[in-house]
Amino acid sequence: MIVIKTKRDIEMMRQAGIIVADTLDKLRDLVKPGVTTQALDRFAENYITDQGARPAFKGYNGFPASVCASINEEVVHGIPGQRRLKEGDIIGLDLGAILNGWVGDSAITVPIGEIDPELKRLLEVTEESLYRGIAEARVGARLGNISHAIQSYVEAAGFSVVRQYVGHGIGRNMHEDPPVPNYGRSDHGPILAEGMTLAIEPMVNAGGYEVLVKPDNWTVVTKDGSYSAHFEHTVAITSTEPVILTRK
Ligand code: MG
Ligand code: MG
């Protein structure tokens, strides 16, 4: 069942979303060679807590941290630890915050120092595909329009979209209906209505779309070892333009 939010609900979600946006902005500045992913996680947890919110990921299905930190061929759900970032890496940072019972969820992928130009293109295409998907989040359109906009843009650029993990409705729960795939046909799926709130989150691989879960039971990696990027925003469908709730 898709839970429709009132304008006031959406305003509450925006307040959670702004905390997520601020946290990601600060993490982006902290990301540099030599920094451990655990240091990033600690910073994020403290910052979110200092704003009066709660990290949404910590303890979610047993996830042990506040940030998912996914490096290079890691797609999503990387567990922060002692690994140090090095020049030329890319890191996906995905996090959520709960404020007054409402959840915001967003992700960015950040280069560490100078990266290979083809890797830079992977990040640009993935981020742009997110905005192309968001642009389709309009009253009366089908959910498949979002999925198709993402997939067609990514594949035209020569990359692939992950099938096994998808975006989601969001609100009082981090994961609500409907699932929001990053692949699919336009004019299929639920009709979008005012008050729907969606976490749209393309996961894009430089190589094939297949993924595996590592023995830690969390970290998702590309099957072929190619690098992967991930961008996400929480978005509200309104009577006019789609509104990004995880941006200031
Ligand atoms: Mg997320
Ligand atoms: Mg999400």
Side-chain angles (χ1 to χ4, degrees):
M1 190 193 67
I2 300 175
V3 181
I4 298 295
K5 281 78 179 181
T6 64
K7 286 201 170 71
R8 186 172 173 281
D9 295 341
I10 290 170
E11 191 44 48
M12 300 291 277
M13 287 182 68
R14 185 202 292 280
Q15 289 171 25
I18 285 172
I19 293 172
V20 173
D22 281 341
T23 311
L24 286 174
D25 273 351
K26 289 179 189 302
L27 286 178
R28 191 188 268 112
D29 292 341
L30 288 174
V31 159
K32 46 176 76 73
V35 170
T36 65
T37 50
Q38 185 173 63
L40 299 173
D41 181 63
R42 293 230 167 107
F43 173 85
E45 181 167 333
N46 288 332
Y47 185 79
I48 291 168
T49 308
D50 286 348
Q51 312 310 306
R54 205 150 52 77
F57 292 6
K58 193 148 192 181
Y60 189 88
N61 291 334
F63 190 75
S66 299
V67 174
C68 291
S70 307
I71 300 172
N72 298 341
E73 78 286 358
E74 297 173 354
V75 179
V76 286
H77 303 168
I79 301 173
Q82 294 310 310
R83 181 168 176 182
R84 288 178 192 280
L85 301 176
K86 61 180 196 340
E87 179 96 10
D89 285 344
I90 57 171
I91 182 170
L93 298 165
D94 186 1
L95 65 94
I98 306 172
L99 184 69
N100 300 314
W102 295 94
V103 189
D105 184 11
S106 182
I108 55 175
T109 301
V110 184
I112 317 303
E114 282 293 306
I115 59 169
D116 184 271
E118 184 63 2
L119 212 43
K120 191 160 176 262
R121 194 173 72 87
L122 175 70
L123 301 196
E124 288 166 355
V125 166
T126 308
E127 186 168 22
E128 174 63 19
S129 77
L130 169 60
Y131 288 105
R132 290 190 179 222
I134 291 170
E136 302 295 327
R138 290 172 182 282
V139 171
R142 298 286 197 118
L143 184 70
N145 296 21
I146 298 174
S147 309
H148 179 75
I150 293 169
Q151 181 181 20
S152 56
Y153 183 73
V154 165
E155 291 182 352
F159 301 132
S160 65
V161 294
V162 171
R163 268 61 161 172
Q164 218 168 318
Y165 298 86
V166 299
H168 47 94
I170 181 167
R172 285 192 176 277
N173 298 295
M174 185 154 65
H175 294 118
E176 298 184 353
D177 282 339
V180 183
N182 300 301
Y183 60 94
R185 294 162 65 185
S186 358
D187 299 321
H188 281 66
I191 295 172
L192 303 177
E194 184 175 356
M196 287 186 186
T197 43
L198 305 175
I200 303 174
E201 51 177 316
M203 289 150 255
V204 174
N205 297 349
Y209 67 78
E210 297 93 343
V211 297
L212 301 170
V213 179
K214 286 190 17 175
D216 66 15
N217 279 322
W218 278 107
T219 313
V220 178
V221 293
T222 58
K223 190 173 173 187
D224 60 13
S226 66
Y227 282 18
S228 186
H230 178 213
F231 285 85
E232 176 179 25
H233 273 306
T234 297
V235 176
I237 297 172
T238 73
S239 57
T240 56
E241 297 293 303
V243 176
I244 298 175
L245 302 176
T246 40
R247 187 165 73 179
K248 292 222 276 189

PDB file of all heavy atoms in Angstrom, residues 41-77:
ATOM      1  N   ASP A  41      31.931   7.404   9.371  1.00  0.00           N
ATOM      2  CA  ASP A  41      30.720   6.923  10.035  1.00  0.00           C
ATOM      3  C   ASP A  41      30.543   7.590  11.398  1.00  0.00           C
ATOM      4  O   ASP A  41      29.452   8.026  11.756  1.00  0.00           O
ATOM      5  CB  ASP A  41      30.800   5.405  10.180  1.00  0.00           C
ATOM      6  CG  ASP A  41      29.559   4.836  10.841  1.00  0.00           C
ATOM      7  OD1 ASP A  41      28.475   4.969  10.245  1.00  0.00           O
ATOM      8  OD2 ASP A  41      29.665   4.299  11.954  1.00  0.00           O
ATOM      9  N   ARG A  42      31.646   7.674  12.148  1.00  0.00           N
ATOM     10  CA  ARG A  42      31.570   8.288  13.491  1.00  0.00           C
ATOM     11  C   ARG A  42      31.145   9.741  13.384  1.00  0.00           C
ATOM     12  O   ARG A  42      30.318  10.230  14.154  1.00  0.00           O
ATOM     13  CB  ARG A  42      32.942   8.199  14.188  1.00  0.00           C
ATOM     14  CG  ARG A  42      33.316   6.768  14.507  1.00  0.00           C
ATOM     15  CD  ARG A  42      33.764   6.631  15.970  1.00  0.00           C
ATOM     16  NE  ARG A  42      33.822   5.212  16.319  1.00  0.00           N
ATOM     17  CZ  ARG A  42      34.957   4.539  16.476  1.00  0.00           C
ATOM     18  NH1 ARG A  42      36.126   5.146  16.332  1.00  0.00           N
ATOM     19  NH2 ARG A  42      34.920   3.269  16.795  1.00  0.00           N
ATOM     20  N   PHE A  43      31.749  10.440  12.409  1.00  0.00           N
ATOM     21  CA  PHE A  43      31.382  11.850  12.229  1.00  0.00           C
ATOM     22  C   PHE A  43      29.882  11.963  11.941  1.00  0.00           C
ATOM     23  O   PHE A  43      29.178  12.773  12.533  1.00  0.00           O
ATOM     24  CB  PHE A  43      32.189  12.502  11.087  1.00  0.00           C
ATOM     25  CG  PHE A  43      31.678  13.871  10.803  1.00  0.00           C
ATOM     26  CD1 PHE A  43      32.133  14.949  11.547  1.00  0.00           C
ATOM     27  CD2 PHE A  43      30.673  14.093   9.857  1.00  0.00           C
ATOM     28  CE1 PHE A  43      31.608  16.223  11.348  1.00  0.00           C
ATOM     29  CE2 PHE A  43      30.142  15.358   9.653  1.00  0.00           C
ATOM     30  CZ  PHE A  43      30.615  16.422  10.393  1.00  0.00           C
ATOM     31  N   ALA A  44      29.418  11.146  11.001  1.00  0.00           N
ATOM     32  CA  ALA A  44      28.012  11.241  10.576  1.00  0.00           C
ATOM     33  C   ALA A  44      27.072  10.941  11.743  1.00  0.00           C
ATOM     34  O   ALA A  44      26.084  11.657  11.959  1.00  0.00           O
ATOM     35  CB  ALA A  44      27.747  10.279   9.419  1.00  0.00           C
ATOM     36  N   GLU A  45      27.387   9.914  12.485  1.00  0.00           N
ATOM     37  CA  GLU A  45      26.508   9.555  13.604  1.00  0.00           C
ATOM     38  C   GLU A  45      26.434  10.687  14.626  1.00  0.00           C
ATOM     39  O   GLU A  45      25.347  11.058  15.092  1.00  0.00           O
ATOM     40  CB  GLU A  45      27.007   8.267  14.269  1.00  0.00           C
ATOM     41  CG  GLU A  45      26.103   7.847  15.409  1.00  0.00           C
ATOM     42  CD  GLU A  45      26.365   6.429  15.894  1.00  0.00           C
ATOM     43  OE1 GLU A  45      26.847   5.590  15.099  1.00  0.00           O
ATOM     44  OE2 GLU A  45      26.069   6.175  17.067  1.00  0.00           O
ATOM     45  N   ASN A  46      27.601  11.273  14.951  1.00  0.00           N
ATOM     46  CA  ASN A  46      27.613  12.375  15.916  1.00  0.00           C
ATOM     47  C   ASN A  46      26.864  13.583  15.383  1.00  0.00           C
ATOM     48  O   ASN A  46      26.095  14.224  16.098  1.00  0.00           O
ATOM     49  CB  ASN A  46      29.061  12.780  16.250  1.00  0.00           C
ATOM     50  CG  ASN A  46      29.745  11.723  17.102  1.00  0.00           C
ATOM     51  OD1 ASN A  46      29.081  11.008  17.852  1.00  0.00           O
ATOM     52  ND2 ASN A  46      31.046  11.613  16.972  1.00  0.00           N
ATOM     53  N   TYR A  47      27.083  13.886  14.105  1.00  0.00           N
ATOM     54  CA  TYR A  47      26.460  15.075  13.533  1.00  0.00           C
ATOM     55  C   TYR A  47      24.932  14.922  13.511  1.00  0.00           C
ATOM     56  O   TYR A  47      24.196  15.825  13.906  1.00  0.00           O
ATOM     57  CB  TYR A  47      27.003  15.341  12.122  1.00  0.00           C
ATOM     58  CG  TYR A  47      26.459  16.620  11.560  1.00  0.00           C
ATOM     59  CD1 TYR A  47      26.996  17.852  11.951  1.00  0.00           C
ATOM     60  CD2 TYR A  47      25.378  16.613  10.692  1.00  0.00           C
ATOM     61  CE1 TYR A  47      26.475  19.036  11.473  1.00  0.00           C
ATOM     62  CE2 TYR A  47      24.842  17.798  10.207  1.00  0.00           C
ATOM     63  CZ  TYR A  47      25.395  19.006  10.601  1.00  0.00           C
ATOM     64  OH  TYR A  47      24.867  20.174  10.134  1.00  0.00           O
ATOM     65  N   ILE A  48      24.462  13.764  13.065  1.00  0.00           N
ATOM     66  CA  ILE A  48      23.010  13.522  12.996  1.00  0.00           C
ATOM     67  C   ILE A  48      22.398  13.622  14.392  1.00  0.00           C
ATOM     68  O   ILE A  48      21.364  14.255  14.603  1.00  0.00           O
ATOM     69  CB  ILE A  48      22.718  12.138  12.364  1.00  0.00           C
ATOM     70  CG1 ILE A  48      23.095  12.142  10.877  1.00  0.00           C
ATOM     71  CG2 ILE A  48      21.258  11.738  12.545  1.00  0.00           C
ATOM     72  CD1 ILE A  48      23.128  10.757  10.238  1.00  0.00           C
ATOM     73  N   THR A  49      23.078  13.019  15.362  1.00  0.00           N
ATOM     74  CA  THR A  49      22.577  13.029  16.740  1.00  0.00           C
ATOM     75  C   THR A  49      22.558  14.454  17.291  1.00  0.00           C
ATOM     76  O   THR A  49      21.607  14.858  17.972  1.00  0.00           O
ATOM     77  CB  THR A  49      23.448  12.109  17.615  1.00  0.00           C
ATOM     78  OG1 THR A  49      23.533  10.833  16.962  1.00  0.00           O
ATOM     79  CG2 THR A  49      22.856  11.910  18.994  1.00  0.00           C
ATOM     80  N   ASP A  50      23.609  15.234  16.977  1.00  0.00           N
ATOM     81  CA  ASP A  50      23.681  16.624  17.444  1.00  0.00           C
ATOM     82  C   ASP A  50      22.524  17.471  16.905  1.00  0.00           C
ATOM     83  O   ASP A  50      22.172  18.487  17.498  1.00  0.00           O
ATOM     84  CB  ASP A  50      25.002  17.281  17.019  1.00  0.00           C
ATOM     85  CG  ASP A  50      26.181  16.778  17.857  1.00  0.00           C
ATOM     86  OD1 ASP A  50      25.928  16.116  18.895  1.00  0.00           O
ATOM     87  OD2 ASP A  50      27.332  17.031  17.469  1.00  0.00           O
ATOM     88  N   GLN A  51      21.978  17.086  15.768  1.00  0.00           N
ATOM     89  CA  GLN A  51      20.841  17.844  15.202  1.00  0.00           C
ATOM     90  C   GLN A  51      19.508  17.407  15.823  1.00  0.00           C
ATOM     91  O   GLN A  51      18.449  17.851  15.385  1.00  0.00           O
ATOM     92  CB  GLN A  51      20.741  17.645  13.674  1.00  0.00           C
ATOM     93  CG  GLN A  51      22.023  17.806  12.891  1.00  0.00           C
ATOM     94  CD  GLN A  51      22.757  19.084  13.224  1.00  0.00           C
ATOM     95  OE1 GLN A  51      22.187  20.164  13.143  1.00  0.00           O
ATOM     96  NE2 GLN A  51      24.009  18.966  13.646  1.00  0.00           N
ATOM     97  N   GLY A  52      19.584  16.475  16.772  1.00  0.00           N
ATOM     98  CA  GLY A  52      18.343  16.015  17.409  1.00  0.00           C
ATOM     99  C   GLY A  52      17.666  14.891  16.653  1.00  0.00           C
ATOM    100  O   GLY A  52      16.528  14.520  16.949  1.00  0.00           O
ATOM    101  N   ALA A  53      18.375  14.337  15.652  1.00  0.00           N
ATOM    102  CA  ALA A  53      17.814  13.245  14.854  1.00  0.00           C
ATOM    103  C   ALA A  53      18.511  11.930  15.227  1.00  0.00           C
ATOM    104  O   ALA A  53      19.376  11.891  16.110  1.00  0.00           O
ATOM    105  CB  ALA A  53      17.985  13.539  13.368  1.00  0.00           C
ATOM    106  N   ARG A  54      18.126  10.879  14.530  1.00  0.00           N
ATOM    107  CA  ARG A  54      18.655   9.550  14.794  1.00  0.00           C
ATOM    108  C   ARG A  54      19.117   8.960  13.463  1.00  0.00           C
ATOM    109  O   ARG A  54      18.432   9.133  12.449  1.00  0.00           O
ATOM    110  CB  ARG A  54      17.518   8.705  15.365  1.00  0.00           C
ATOM    111  CG  ARG A  54      17.863   7.557  16.214  1.00  0.00           C
ATOM    112  CD  ARG A  54      16.740   7.315  17.245  1.00  0.00           C
ATOM    113  NE  ARG A  54      15.394   7.206  16.663  1.00  0.00           N
ATOM    114  CZ  ARG A  54      14.921   6.128  16.033  1.00  0.00           C
ATOM    115  NH1 ARG A  54      15.675   5.060  15.848  1.00  0.00           N
ATOM    116  NH2 ARG A  54      13.677   6.121  15.585  1.00  0.00           N
ATOM    117  N   PRO A  55      20.282   8.293  13.444  1.00  0.00           N
ATOM    118  CA  PRO A  55      20.699   7.642  12.188  1.00  0.00           C
ATOM    119  C   PRO A  55      19.701   6.535  11.830  1.00  0.00           C
ATOM    120  O   PRO A  55      19.406   5.681  12.668  1.00  0.00           O
ATOM    121  CB  PRO A  55      22.066   7.047  12.503  1.00  0.00           C
ATOM    122  CG  PRO A  55      22.434   7.471  13.872  1.00  0.00           C
ATOM    123  CD  PRO A  55      21.224   8.018  14.547  1.00  0.00           C
ATOM    124  N   ALA A  56      19.197   6.557  10.617  1.00  0.00           N
ATOM    125  CA  ALA A  56      18.155   5.596  10.229  1.00  0.00           C
ATOM    126  C   ALA A  56      18.711   4.201   9.967  1.00  0.00           C
ATOM    127  O   ALA A  56      17.995   3.209  10.073  1.00  0.00           O
ATOM    128  CB  ALA A  56      17.413   6.095   8.991  1.00  0.00           C
ATOM    129  N   PHE A  57      19.996   4.131   9.602  1.00  0.00           N
ATOM    130  CA  PHE A  57      20.537   2.824   9.193  1.00  0.00           C
ATOM    131  C   PHE A  57      20.997   1.985  10.379  1.00  0.00           C
ATOM    132  O   PHE A  57      20.963   0.768  10.317  1.00  0.00           O
ATOM    133  CB  PHE A  57      21.741   2.980   8.243  1.00  0.00           C
ATOM    134  CG  PHE A  57      21.404   3.545   6.885  1.00  0.00           C
ATOM    135  CD1 PHE A  57      20.128   3.999   6.584  1.00  0.00           C
ATOM    136  CD2 PHE A  57      22.379   3.612   5.898  1.00  0.00           C
ATOM    137  CE1 PHE A  57      19.823   4.517   5.335  1.00  0.00           C
ATOM    138  CE2 PHE A  57      22.082   4.120   4.638  1.00  0.00           C
ATOM    139  CZ  PHE A  57      20.811   4.578   4.357  1.00  0.00           C
ATOM    140  N   LYS A  58      21.455   2.658  11.450  1.00  0.00           N
ATOM    141  CA  LYS A  58      22.070   1.912  12.548  1.00  0.00           C
ATOM    142  C   LYS A  58      21.053   0.958  13.167  1.00  0.00           C
ATOM    143  O   LYS A  58      20.017   1.384  13.669  1.00  0.00           O
ATOM    144  CB  LYS A  58      22.623   2.856  13.603  1.00  0.00           C
ATOM    145  CG  LYS A  58      23.531   2.134  14.559  1.00  0.00           C
ATOM    146  CD  LYS A  58      24.629   3.002  15.084  1.00  0.00           C
ATOM    147  CE  LYS A  58      25.655   2.142  15.787  1.00  0.00           C
ATOM    148  NZ  LYS A  58      26.742   2.947  16.329  1.00  0.00           N
ATOM    149  N   GLY A  59      21.380  -0.336  13.107  1.00  0.00           N
ATOM    150  CA  GLY A  59      20.484  -1.348  13.660  1.00  0.00           C
ATOM    151  C   GLY A  59      19.384  -1.788  12.702  1.00  0.00           C
ATOM    152  O   GLY A  59      18.649  -2.730  13.004  1.00  0.00           O
ATOM    153  N   TYR A  60      19.265  -1.121  11.550  1.00  0.00           N
ATOM    154  CA  TYR A  60      18.213  -1.487  10.596  1.00  0.00           C
ATOM    155  C   TYR A  60      18.526  -2.856  10.009  1.00  0.00           C
ATOM    156  O   TYR A  60      19.562  -3.033   9.368  1.00  0.00           O
ATOM    157  CB  TYR A  60      18.118  -0.429   9.486  1.00  0.00           C
ATOM    158  CG  TYR A  60      16.917  -0.605   8.582  1.00  0.00           C
ATOM    159  CD1 TYR A  60      15.694  -0.031   8.899  1.00  0.00           C
ATOM    160  CD2 TYR A  60      17.009  -1.347   7.407  1.00  0.00           C
ATOM    161  CE1 TYR A  60      14.588  -0.196   8.082  1.00  0.00           C
ATOM    162  CE2 TYR A  60      15.915  -1.520   6.581  1.00  0.00           C
ATOM    163  CZ  TYR A  60      14.706  -0.942   6.926  1.00  0.00           C
ATOM    164  OH  TYR A  60      13.621  -1.102   6.109  1.00  0.00           O
ATOM    165  N   ASN A  61      17.668  -3.836  10.264  1.00  0.00           N
ATOM    166  CA  ASN A  61      17.952  -5.233   9.894  1.00  0.00           C
ATOM    167  C   ASN A  61      19.315  -5.691  10.410  1.00  0.00           C
ATOM    168  O   ASN A  61      19.945  -6.556   9.817  1.00  0.00           O
ATOM    169  CB  ASN A  61      17.899  -5.441   8.376  1.00  0.00           C
ATOM    170  CG  ASN A  61      16.479  -5.317   7.831  1.00  0.00           C
ATOM    171  OD1 ASN A  61      15.520  -5.555   8.556  1.00  0.00           O
ATOM    172  ND2 ASN A  61      16.364  -4.944   6.577  1.00  0.00           N
ATOM    173  N   GLY A  62      19.777  -5.061  11.478  1.00  0.00           N
ATOM    174  CA  GLY A  62      21.065  -5.437  12.070  1.00  0.00           C
ATOM    175  C   GLY A  62      22.270  -4.742  11.461  1.00  0.00           C
ATOM    176  O   GLY A  62      23.408  -5.071  11.812  1.00  0.00           O
ATOM    177  N   PHE A  63      22.068  -3.748  10.585  1.00  0.00           N
ATOM    178  CA  PHE A  63      23.240  -3.047  10.020  1.00  0.00           C
ATOM    179  C   PHE A  63      23.983  -2.341  11.148  1.00  0.00           C
ATOM    180  O   PHE A  63      23.380  -1.662  11.975  1.00  0.00           O
ATOM    181  CB  PHE A  63      22.812  -2.043   8.935  1.00  0.00           C
ATOM    182  CG  PHE A  63      23.987  -1.484   8.171  1.00  0.00           C
ATOM    183  CD1 PHE A  63      24.653  -2.255   7.222  1.00  0.00           C
ATOM    184  CD2 PHE A  63      24.462  -0.200   8.435  1.00  0.00           C
ATOM    185  CE1 PHE A  63      25.758  -1.750   6.537  1.00  0.00           C
ATOM    186  CE2 PHE A  63      25.564   0.313   7.749  1.00  0.00           C
ATOM    187  CZ  PHE A  63      26.203  -0.463   6.800  1.00  0.00           C
ATOM    188  N   PRO A  64      25.340  -2.508  11.191  1.00  0.00           N
ATOM    189  CA  PRO A  64      26.070  -2.064  12.378  1.00  0.00           C
ATOM    190  C   PRO A  64      26.495  -0.595  12.388  1.00  0.00           C
ATOM    191  O   PRO A  64      27.169  -0.178  13.337  1.00  0.00           O
ATOM    192  CB  PRO A  64      27.310  -2.965  12.368  1.00  0.00           C
ATOM    193  CG  PRO A  64      27.532  -3.280  10.929  1.00  0.00           C
ATOM    194  CD  PRO A  64      26.174  -3.303  10.280  1.00  0.00           C
ATOM    195  N   ALA A  65      26.158   0.198  11.390  1.00  0.00           N
ATOM    196  CA  ALA A  65      26.701   1.557  11.325  1.00  0.00           C
ATOM    197  C   ALA A  65      25.643   2.546  10.848  1.00  0.00           C
ATOM    198  O   ALA A  65      24.522   2.167  10.485  1.00  0.00           O
ATOM    199  CB  ALA A  65      27.906   1.578  10.389  1.00  0.00           C
ATOM    200  N   SER A  66      26.027   3.826  10.840  1.00  0.00           N
ATOM    201  CA  SER A  66      25.098   4.896  10.450  1.00  0.00           C
ATOM    202  C   SER A  66      25.197   5.255   8.980  1.00  0.00           C
ATOM    203  O   SER A  66      24.316   5.912   8.438  1.00  0.00           O
ATOM    204  CB  SER A  66      25.376   6.145  11.289  1.00  0.00           C
ATOM    205  OG  SER A  66      25.170   5.848  12.649  1.00  0.00           O
ATOM    206  N   VAL A  67      26.322   4.871   8.360  1.00  0.00           N
ATOM    207  CA  VAL A  67      26.569   5.185   6.949  1.00  0.00           C
ATOM    208  C   VAL A  67      26.871   3.878   6.225  1.00  0.00           C
ATOM    209  O   VAL A  67      27.564   3.014   6.760  1.00  0.00           O
ATOM    210  CB  VAL A  67      27.800   6.122   6.822  1.00  0.00           C
ATOM    211  CG1 VAL A  67      28.171   6.358   5.371  1.00  0.00           C
ATOM    212  CG2 VAL A  67      27.546   7.442   7.536  1.00  0.00           C
ATOM    213  N   CYS A  68      26.377   3.736   5.007  1.00  0.00           N
ATOM    214  CA  CYS A  68      26.880   2.695   4.124  1.00  0.00           C
ATOM    215  C   CYS A  68      27.999   3.324   3.313  1.00  0.00           C
ATOM    216  O   CYS A  68      27.798   4.358   2.651  1.00  0.00           O
ATOM    217  CB  CYS A  68      25.786   2.187   3.184  1.00  0.00           C
ATOM    218  SG  CYS A  68      24.495   1.246   4.024  1.00  0.00           S
ATOM    219  N   ALA A  69      29.186   2.738   3.389  1.00  0.00           N
ATOM    220  CA  ALA A  69      30.377   3.269   2.718  1.00  0.00           C
ATOM    221  C   ALA A  69      30.860   2.211   1.733  1.00  0.00           C
ATOM    222  O   ALA A  69      31.362   1.163   2.141  1.00  0.00           O
ATOM    223  CB  ALA A  69      31.454   3.588   3.746  1.00  0.00           C
ATOM    224  N   SER A  70      30.679   2.473   0.439  1.00  0.00           N
ATOM    225  CA  SER A  70      30.912   1.445  -0.581  1.00  0.00           C
ATOM    226  C   SER A  70      31.980   1.941  -1.557  1.00  0.00           C
ATOM    227  O   SER A  70      31.755   2.915  -2.275  1.00  0.00           O
ATOM    228  CB  SER A  70      29.601   1.142  -1.305  1.00  0.00           C
ATOM    229  OG  SER A  70      28.579   0.835  -0.354  1.00  0.00           O
ATOM    230  N   ILE A  71      33.132   1.275  -1.541  1.00  0.00           N
ATOM    231  CA  ILE A  71      34.300   1.744  -2.291  1.00  0.00           C
ATOM    232  C   ILE A  71      34.464   0.956  -3.598  1.00  0.00           C
ATOM    233  O   ILE A  71      34.390  -0.277  -3.615  1.00  0.00           O
ATOM    234  CB  ILE A  71      35.573   1.594  -1.422  1.00  0.00           C
ATOM    235  CG1 ILE A  71      35.441   2.433  -0.138  1.00  0.00           C
ATOM    236  CG2 ILE A  71      36.821   2.004  -2.193  1.00  0.00           C
ATOM    237  CD1 ILE A  71      36.551   2.197   0.873  1.00  0.00           C
ATOM    238  N   ASN A  72      34.696   1.686  -4.682  1.00  0.00           N
ATOM    239  CA  ASN A  72      35.068   1.099  -5.985  1.00  0.00           C
ATOM    240  C   ASN A  72      34.065   0.066  -6.492  1.00  0.00           C
ATOM    241  O   ASN A  72      32.979   0.428  -6.905  1.00  0.00           O
ATOM    242  CB  ASN A  72      36.494   0.538  -5.920  1.00  0.00           C
ATOM    243  CG  ASN A  72      37.517   1.634  -5.621  1.00  0.00           C
ATOM    244  OD1 ASN A  72      37.220   2.811  -5.809  1.00  0.00           O
ATOM    245  ND2 ASN A  72      38.690   1.269  -5.166  1.00  0.00           N
ATOM    246  N   GLU A  73      34.407  -1.238  -6.460  1.00  0.00           N
ATOM    247  CA  GLU A  73      33.500  -2.257  -7.013  1.00  0.00           C
ATOM    248  C   GLU A  73      32.354  -2.583  -6.054  1.00  0.00           C
ATOM    249  O   GLU A  73      31.459  -3.361  -6.397  1.00  0.00           O
ATOM    250  CB  GLU A  73      34.281  -3.533  -7.384  1.00  0.00           C
ATOM    251  CG  GLU A  73      34.661  -4.452  -6.224  1.00  0.00           C
ATOM    252  CD  GLU A  73      35.805  -3.925  -5.368  1.00  0.00           C
ATOM    253  OE1 GLU A  73      36.362  -2.854  -5.676  1.00  0.00           O
ATOM    254  OE2 GLU A  73      36.134  -4.609  -4.368  1.00  0.00           O
ATOM    255  N   GLU A  74      32.397  -1.982  -4.854  1.00  0.00           N
ATOM    256  CA  GLU A  74      31.278  -2.150  -3.926  1.00  0.00           C
ATOM    257  C   GLU A  74      30.124  -1.257  -4.395  1.00  0.00           C
ATOM    258  O   GLU A  74      30.320  -0.074  -4.684  1.00  0.00           O
ATOM    259  CB  GLU A  74      31.712  -1.791  -2.504  1.00  0.00           C
ATOM    260  CG  GLU A  74      32.816  -2.738  -2.001  1.00  0.00           C
ATOM    261  CD  GLU A  74      33.421  -2.346  -0.666  1.00  0.00           C
ATOM    262  OE1 GLU A  74      33.082  -1.269  -0.140  1.00  0.00           O
ATOM    263  OE2 GLU A  74      34.269  -3.118  -0.170  1.00  0.00           O
ATOM    264  N   VAL A  75      28.930  -1.847  -4.463  1.00  0.00           N
ATOM    265  CA  VAL A  75      27.777  -1.150  -5.051  1.00  0.00           C
ATOM    266  C   VAL A  75      27.031  -0.369  -3.969  1.00  0.00           C
ATOM    267  O   VAL A  75      26.841   0.843  -4.074  1.00  0.00           O
ATOM    268  CB  VAL A  75      26.839  -2.171  -5.739  1.00  0.00           C
ATOM    269  CG1 VAL A  75      25.620  -1.480  -6.327  1.00  0.00           C
ATOM    270  CG2 VAL A  75      27.594  -2.955  -6.819  1.00  0.00           C
ATOM    271  N   VAL A  76      26.595  -1.084  -2.951  1.00  0.00           N
ATOM    272  CA  VAL A  76      25.887  -0.494  -1.805  1.00  0.00           C
ATOM    273  C   VAL A  76      26.154  -1.352  -0.567  1.00  0.00           C
ATOM    274  O   VAL A  76      26.705  -2.454  -0.668  1.00  0.00           O
ATOM    275  CB  VAL A  76      24.341  -0.419  -2.031  1.00  0.00           C
ATOM    276  CG1 VAL A  76      23.965   0.688  -3.011  1.00  0.00           C
ATOM    277  CG2 VAL A  76      23.778  -1.760  -2.462  1.00  0.00           C
ATOM    278  N   HIS A  77      25.754  -0.814   0.588  1.00  0.00           N
ATOM    279  CA  HIS A  77      25.722  -1.549   1.869  1.00  0.00           C
ATOM    280  C   HIS A  77      27.106  -1.909   2.398  1.00  0.00           C
ATOM    281  O   HIS A  77      27.240  -2.840   3.207  1.00  0.00           O
ATOM    282  CB  HIS A  77      24.844  -2.817   1.768  1.00  0.00           C
ATOM    283  CG  HIS A  77      23.443  -2.531   1.341  1.00  0.00           C
ATOM    284  ND1 HIS A  77      22.562  -3.512   0.958  1.00  0.00           N
ATOM    285  CD2 HIS A  77      22.750  -1.362   1.224  1.00  0.00           C
ATOM    286  CE1 HIS A  77      21.387  -2.973   0.617  1.00  0.00           C
ATOM    287  NE2 HIS A  77      21.485  -1.663   0.760  1.00  0.00           N
TER     288      HIS A  77
END
